[in-house]
Amino acid sequence: MDKRSKEYKTWLESKDYKIWKEQHDSEEDGDSSEGTQKKDNKLKDGKSVKGSKHRLTDKAMDKLQTYYGNAIRANVKPGKLSAEEQKSQITVMQKAIMAVLYHTCELSDETERHKYCPEGADIWCSYKRQGTLKRKDHHLDAVFLDFLLPEFTRLSDYSLLLRCLPGYSQNANESLNGLVWNRAPKHRYKGPKAVEMAVMSAITHFNSGASSRHDLMRAASIPPGEFTSEGSAKKEYLDPYKKHQCGKKEEGR
């Protein structure tokens, strides 16, 4: 509909428009379980979701995503398994995933905080390993446990983890998805146009490499400079799925 037309102006004043706008605004606000909270939304402690240290910063999100992936990769079990073996190993995987959330949230009760963390001398949990845990910027205030628990519960779904259990390497479709979400992170609200551009950019990169953007830039009369070329060259050899290998331990996590 032409926004300059009389028909459009009439629609703006109609009841149907008011109903549509209320629904549209509600969708933009997003659902907390999908990670689309706005910066000014408040949690139970009266503070915003976003912020500096100990809030849901980009660094904290990156850490959670990395640790979630490590929890899965560290507990894969290739080969043919019985239903009972599958159930047992997925239970281990679910516990490792919950350890990520509880360990990251600064609960006052240390026993509760580390109840899912693994035991042993050579483990990633500093508290279980040596009885102390240094406070890190990406550690979250205790209020985030309730806030993130529904999302971690969804990510621990049995049917989802069952597909992860064999530990297959990333296939082409998953790699493409990774390129898309690098450009349009799931935890931030993006409109249809932004997502569409992210998908097109990802497909171009996936099919022809990072330097393929140079042709698009030239077509737009924007010749790539030295730093753009250098950055593209580095990405050609960077495999994001090799950055965090299975079983890698991060000191003082």
Side-chain angles (χ1 to χ4, degrees):
M1 189 184 300
D2 188 346
K3 293 184 178 182
R4 295 170 295 181
S5 67
K6 182 178 180 181
E7 182 183 6
Y8 179 76
K9 293 177 181 179
T10 302
W11 180 65
L12 288 179
E13 298 174 356
S14 68
K15 182 178 179 181
D16 289 340
Y17 172 76
K18 292 180 180 179
I19 295 175
W20 172 87
K21 192 173 188 308
E22 288 177 359
Q23 294 176 341
H24 180 73
D25 291 343
S26 176
E27 290 173 359
E28 282 199 341
D29 285 345
D31 187 292
S32 61
S33 65
E34 296 297 328
T36 55
Q37 289 286 337
K38 293 183 177 180
K39 283 188 177 182
D40 56 352
N41 280 3
K42 307 293 184 182
L43 296 185
K44 292 180 180 179
D45 61 358
K47 299 179 182 179
S48 299
V49 173
K50 293 281 188 177
S52 54
K53 299 177 182 179
H54 315 301
R55 308 306 288 185
L56 207 56
T57 61
D58 289 343
K59 178 181 178 181
M61 289 294 298
D62 289 342
K63 290 285 186 181
L64 287 173
Q65 290 172 359
T66 297
Y67 295 153
Y68 172 77
N70 287 347
I72 291 178
R73 289 189 289 272
N75 293 287
V76 298
K77 200 165 186 178
K80 189 174 181 179
L81 304 177
S82 66
E84 191 62 32
E85 288 174 326
Q86 288 178 340
K87 182 178 180 180
S88 177
Q89 192 61 26
I90 288 178
T91 298
V92 173
M93 195 177 284
Q94 289 172 328
K95 181 179 178 180
I97 291 171
M98 284 301 171
V100 173
L101 175 62
Y102 276 75
H103 178 95
T104 303
C105 294
E106 297 182 322
L107 306 182
S108 57
D109 185 345
E110 294 290 356
T111 301
E112 177 72 7
R113 180 177 182 181
H114 301 286
K115 66 180 181 180
Y116 292 111
C117 293
E119 303 285 349
D122 188 26
I123 54 176
W124 53 260
C125 177
S126 302
Y127 182 82
K128 286 287 185 75
R129 191 171 65 248
Q130 56 196 27
T132 59
L133 177 60
K134 183 179 179 181
R135 196 182 196 201
K136 301 286 186 177
D137 291 349
H138 68 276
H139 288 170
L140 301 173
D141 292 332
V143 70
F144 281 94
L145 178 62
D146 290 339
F147 178 71
L148 293 174
L149 188 57
E151 184 69 7
F152 270 76
T153 300
R154 184 183 70 81
L155 293 172
S156 301
D157 179 73
Y158 187 93
S159 59
L160 171 64
L161 298 184
L162 183 62
R163 298 197 298 270
C164 301
L165 196 56
Y168 296 133
S169 59
Q170 298 289 337
N171 59 34
N173 186 56
E174 290 169 332
S175 299
L176 177 58
N177 285 341
L179 292 173
V180 172
W181 301 129
N182 280 340
R183 291 158 170 75
K186 295 181 180 180
H187 64 281
R188 297 179 182 175
Y189 174 78
K190 298 289 183 181
K193 191 66 175 179
V195 174
E196 182 181 2
M197 292 177 67
V199 171
M200 290 189 291
S201 174
I203 292 174
T204 302
H205 185 155
F206 184 77
N207 289 335
S208 306
S211 59
S212 59
R213 74 179 68 182
H214 299 176
D215 293 333
L216 298 175
M217 294 174 68
R218 293 188 187 97
S221 299
I222 309 174
E226 177 183 350
F227 294 114
T228 300
S229 300
E230 182 180 327
S232 297
K234 288 181 180 179
K235 289 182 179 179
E236 297 287 359
Y237 299 99
L238 179 61
D239 181 355
Y241 300 105
K242 293 181 180 178
K243 289 180 67 178
H244 306 288
Q245 295 297 331
C246 172
K248 180 180 177 182
K249 182 180 73 175
E250 298 195 25
E251 290 294 338
R253 177 172 144 184

